[in-house]
Amino acid sequence: MTQITMDLRFDKYYYRSSWFQLIKPMTLTGTLTPVLGGTGIAASKGPVQFDVFFALLFAALLIQAATNLFNDYYDFRNGQDKDKWTLNPSDAHGPSHTVVPYAAGSMLGIAIISGAWLALTSSLWVILAGILGITFGYFYSAGPHPLCSIGLGETVAFIFLGPVITVLGYSVQGHTVDIQIAAISLPFAMLIASMILTNNIRDLKKDSNFRKTLPAILGRTRAMNILVTLLSIAYITVLGLVLYNVIAWQSLAVLLALPLAFRLRWALRSNAKRSVEIKGMKWAAWHHWAFGLLFSCGVWIGFLIN
């Protein structure tokens, strides 16, 4: 079968779920909470420009949403997740396969416009961060060797949805990057890496014929050990930041998210049923939301009270 014929077949498929689900809103906390956290630290050192805050958040969310669209688009082209697509439009609630990259490209175009205004308003470093974010977001799923298929998915998420976006949330408010904001970005980095790793552990068998994720390279046992380590370091880092008075004690509210972390680990136990293991990703997403929002709110509440 030629590539042209394959392309025609792809064009006839429709996404079974909605646009909303295709964007994967549960993962967008990977952008939302670091921006909130970085801005919260900036607020403790001076006034916050909320137009700048919303412009950064808007652009960053669009980039992550576009990345999610490209991920499903290229996964299907590479023979994965066929159950998410249908040839019958009456069975679908979302777009046709051919529309997805245009929607993702439009999102990136709007993000670029927003980012350009943000760079002129705050710092030209936003341009470099935006270019790198869009490039790595695209090649996360696209190209002959997508980053997610060579064991780099967790690393890319760790960098761009950890230090990069947290530091941007802080620096666009006019502050110089220092060790404090770098340290505060670590829990966010650990969290998003743990979510990507959970997804790859869950899909280990499904991915075996298509790509080499980190669990495929290291094995399930080692991947699970890394997952527990990432989750543990996220909590330990917050405890350390509080003990050293880098952030207010209110940030210890993250401990309320611990039951979700334990539930995530339990869902991925070695003898778990497949149906339970599949739900592990949902627990990872809920844990990310709970931890990230509790941490960010703790930072803001500590600033407002003190």
Short mmCIF file of all heavy atoms in Angstrom, two decimals, residues 158-180:
data_model
loop_
_atom_site.label_atom_id
_atom_site.label_comp_id
_atom_site.label_asym_id
_atom_site.label_seq_id
_atom_site.Cartn_x
_atom_site.Cartn_y
_atom_site.Cartn_z
N PHE A 158 10.03 17.09 31.72
CA PHE A 158 10.72 17.55 32.93
C PHE A 158 11.30 18.94 32.73
O PHE A 158 11.15 19.82 33.59
CB PHE A 158 11.85 16.56 33.27
CG PHE A 158 12.62 16.88 34.52
CD1 PHE A 158 12.32 16.25 35.71
CD2 PHE A 158 13.66 17.81 34.50
CE1 PHE A 158 13.03 16.55 36.88
CE2 PHE A 158 14.37 18.11 35.65
CZ PHE A 158 14.06 17.48 36.84
N ILE A 159 11.94 19.16 31.60
CA ILE A 159 12.62 20.44 31.34
C ILE A 159 11.63 21.56 31.06
O ILE A 159 11.66 22.63 31.68
CB ILE A 159 13.61 20.30 30.18
CG1 ILE A 159 14.76 19.36 30.58
CG2 ILE A 159 14.16 21.67 29.76
CD1 ILE A 159 15.68 18.99 29.42
N PHE A 160 10.70 21.32 30.11
CA PHE A 160 9.86 22.42 29.63
C PHE A 160 8.65 22.69 30.52
O PHE A 160 8.18 23.83 30.58
CB PHE A 160 9.41 22.14 28.19
CG PHE A 160 10.51 22.35 27.20
CD1 PHE A 160 11.27 21.28 26.76
CD2 PHE A 160 10.80 23.62 26.72
CE1 PHE A 160 12.32 21.47 25.86
CE2 PHE A 160 11.84 23.82 25.82
CZ PHE A 160 12.60 22.75 25.39
N LEU A 161 8.14 21.67 31.21
CA LEU A 161 7.01 21.89 32.10
C LEU A 161 7.45 21.87 33.56
O LEU A 161 6.63 21.70 34.46
CB LEU A 161 5.92 20.83 31.84
CG LEU A 161 5.31 20.90 30.44
CD1 LEU A 161 4.24 19.82 30.28
CD2 LEU A 161 4.73 22.27 30.15
N GLY A 162 8.74 22.06 33.73
CA GLY A 162 9.31 22.20 35.07
C GLY A 162 10.06 23.52 35.15
O GLY A 162 9.44 24.59 35.28
N PRO A 163 11.38 23.51 35.02
CA PRO A 163 12.17 24.75 35.13
C PRO A 163 11.79 25.84 34.13
O PRO A 163 11.66 27.00 34.51
CB PRO A 163 13.61 24.26 34.90
CG PRO A 163 13.59 22.82 35.29
CD PRO A 163 12.23 22.31 34.91
N VAL A 164 11.60 25.48 32.86
CA VAL A 164 11.39 26.51 31.84
C VAL A 164 10.13 27.32 32.11
O VAL A 164 10.17 28.56 32.20
CB VAL A 164 11.33 25.88 30.43
CG1 VAL A 164 10.88 26.93 29.40
CG2 VAL A 164 12.68 25.33 30.03
N ILE A 165 8.99 26.66 32.27
CA ILE A 165 7.74 27.41 32.42
C ILE A 165 7.64 28.07 33.79
O ILE A 165 7.09 29.18 33.93
CB ILE A 165 6.52 26.48 32.15
CG1 ILE A 165 5.25 27.29 32.05
CG2 ILE A 165 6.41 25.41 33.22
CD1 ILE A 165 5.22 28.29 30.92
N THR A 166 8.18 27.44 34.83
CA THR A 166 8.15 28.06 36.17
C THR A 166 9.01 29.32 36.20
O THR A 166 8.59 30.36 36.73
CB THR A 166 8.66 27.07 37.24
OG1 THR A 166 7.97 25.83 37.13
CG2 THR A 166 8.45 27.64 38.64
N VAL A 167 10.19 29.22 35.64
CA VAL A 167 11.09 30.38 35.59
C VAL A 167 10.49 31.49 34.74
O VAL A 167 10.60 32.68 35.08
CB VAL A 167 12.47 29.97 35.05
CG1 VAL A 167 13.33 31.19 34.71
CG2 VAL A 167 13.20 29.10 36.08
N LEU A 168 9.82 31.14 33.64
CA LEU A 168 9.18 32.16 32.82
C LEU A 168 8.09 32.88 33.61
O LEU A 168 7.96 34.11 33.52
CB LEU A 168 8.57 31.53 31.56
CG LEU A 168 9.51 31.30 30.38
CD1 LEU A 168 8.76 30.62 29.25
CD2 LEU A 168 10.12 32.60 29.90
N GLY A 169 7.29 32.13 34.37
CA GLY A 169 6.26 32.74 35.17
C GLY A 169 6.81 33.76 36.15
O GLY A 169 6.14 34.75 36.49
N TYR A 170 8.02 33.53 36.58
CA TYR A 170 8.71 34.41 37.53
C TYR A 170 9.41 35.57 36.82
O TYR A 170 9.26 36.73 37.17
CB TYR A 170 9.72 33.58 38.31
CG TYR A 170 10.60 34.32 39.28
CD1 TYR A 170 10.11 34.74 40.52
CD2 TYR A 170 11.93 34.58 38.97
CE1 TYR A 170 10.94 35.40 41.42
CE2 TYR A 170 12.76 35.24 39.86
CZ TYR A 170 12.26 35.64 41.09
OH TYR A 170 13.08 36.30 41.98
N SER A 171 10.17 35.24 35.78
CA SER A 171 11.03 36.25 35.14
C SER A 171 10.27 37.27 34.32
O SER A 171 10.70 38.42 34.22
CB SER A 171 12.08 35.55 34.26
OG SER A 171 11.46 34.83 33.21
N VAL A 172 9.11 36.90 33.72
CA VAL A 172 8.37 37.88 32.92
C VAL A 172 7.77 38.97 33.79
O VAL A 172 7.31 40.00 33.27
CB VAL A 172 7.25 37.20 32.10
CG1 VAL A 172 7.83 36.27 31.05
CG2 VAL A 172 6.25 36.49 33.00
N GLN A 173 7.78 38.75 35.10
CA GLN A 173 7.32 39.79 36.02
C GLN A 173 8.45 40.75 36.40
O GLN A 173 8.28 41.59 37.29
CB GLN A 173 6.73 39.15 37.28
CG GLN A 173 5.50 38.29 37.03
CD GLN A 173 4.32 39.09 36.50
OE1 GLN A 173 4.20 40.30 36.74
NE2 GLN A 173 3.44 38.42 35.76
N GLY A 174 9.59 40.61 35.72
CA GLY A 174 10.68 41.56 35.91
C GLY A 174 11.72 41.15 36.93
O GLY A 174 12.50 42.00 37.38
N HIS A 175 11.80 39.86 37.27
CA HIS A 175 12.76 39.41 38.28
C HIS A 175 13.87 38.58 37.66
O HIS A 175 13.65 37.85 36.69
CB HIS A 175 12.05 38.60 39.36
CG HIS A 175 10.94 39.36 40.04
ND1 HIS A 175 11.18 40.42 40.89
CD2 HIS A 175 9.58 39.23 39.96
CE1 HIS A 175 10.03 40.91 41.33
NE2 HIS A 175 9.05 40.21 40.77
N THR A 176 15.05 38.69 38.24
CA THR A 176 16.21 37.93 37.76
C THR A 176 16.15 36.50 38.29
O THR A 176 15.83 36.28 39.46
CB THR A 176 17.52 38.60 38.24
OG1 THR A 176 17.54 39.95 37.79
CG2 THR A 176 18.72 37.85 37.70
N VAL A 177 16.45 35.57 37.43
CA VAL A 177 16.42 34.15 37.81
C VAL A 177 17.47 33.89 38.89
O VAL A 177 18.61 34.33 38.80
CB VAL A 177 16.69 33.26 36.59
CG1 VAL A 177 16.72 31.79 37.00
CG2 VAL A 177 15.65 33.51 35.51
N ASP A 178 17.06 33.16 39.94
CA ASP A 178 17.98 32.83 41.02
C ASP A 178 17.76 31.39 41.46
O ASP A 178 16.90 30.67 40.93
CB ASP A 178 17.80 33.79 42.20
CG ASP A 178 16.36 33.88 42.68
OD1 ASP A 178 15.61 32.90 42.46
OD2 ASP A 178 15.97 34.92 43.26
N ILE A 179 18.52 30.95 42.45
CA ILE A 179 18.45 29.57 42.92
C ILE A 179 17.10 29.26 43.54
O ILE A 179 16.63 28.11 43.51
CB ILE A 179 19.60 29.30 43.94
CG1 ILE A 179 19.70 27.79 44.24
CG2 ILE A 179 19.40 30.11 45.20
CD1 ILE A 179 20.12 26.96 43.07
N GLN A 180 16.44 30.26 44.10
CA GLN A 180 15.15 30.05 44.74
C GLN A 180 14.10 29.57 43.74
O GLN A 180 13.44 28.54 43.96
CB GLN A 180 14.65 31.34 45.40
CG GLN A 180 13.28 31.18 46.05
CD GLN A 180 12.69 32.51 46.50
OE1 GLN A 180 13.07 33.57 45.99
NE2 GLN A 180 11.76 32.47 47.45
#
